[in-house]
Amino acid sequence: MARSVLKPHATVFLGVMRLADPLLAIVVGLVAYDLYLAEWPPADHYLLFLGTGAMTIAALFPMFSLYEPQRGTSLAEELRRLVLAWGMLAALAGGMIFATKMGDAFSRVWV
């Protein structure tokens, strides 16, 4: 009988997932910046926005239990958590852009 690979390495997979989400957000942000604005290197305020967003993802997603085992959870509940987490991230980003009066520095397509 074959042993499960996931259970003994669950903490490793959890760490990889928690690290991958912020890193993927940064990579996708840099690719989108390059494709849309076609200039390199990105402006400092975009790099700050990406770094802050990555840190917020690292702090916010665990609060919505996105990295917990989803066994026994319906697809609707899992999607609800994802939408709420991304919605909260968008609301925080929009609020920070408004509070710092940086709205004119960011393209509406980017945000």
Side-chain angles (χ1 to χ4, degrees), residues 47-57 89 96:
L47 294 175
L48 181 63
F49 185 76
L50 284 174
T52 305
M55 288 187 293
T56 306
I57 286 172
L89 182 67
M96 288 307 296

Side-chain angles (χ1 to χ4, degrees), residues 21-22 56-67 82 85-86 89:
D21 279 339
T56 306
I57 286 172
L60 192 66
F61 282 9
M63 290 180 192
F64 285 91
S65 302
L66 296 183
Y67 301 114
L82 279 170
W86 279 105
L89 182 67

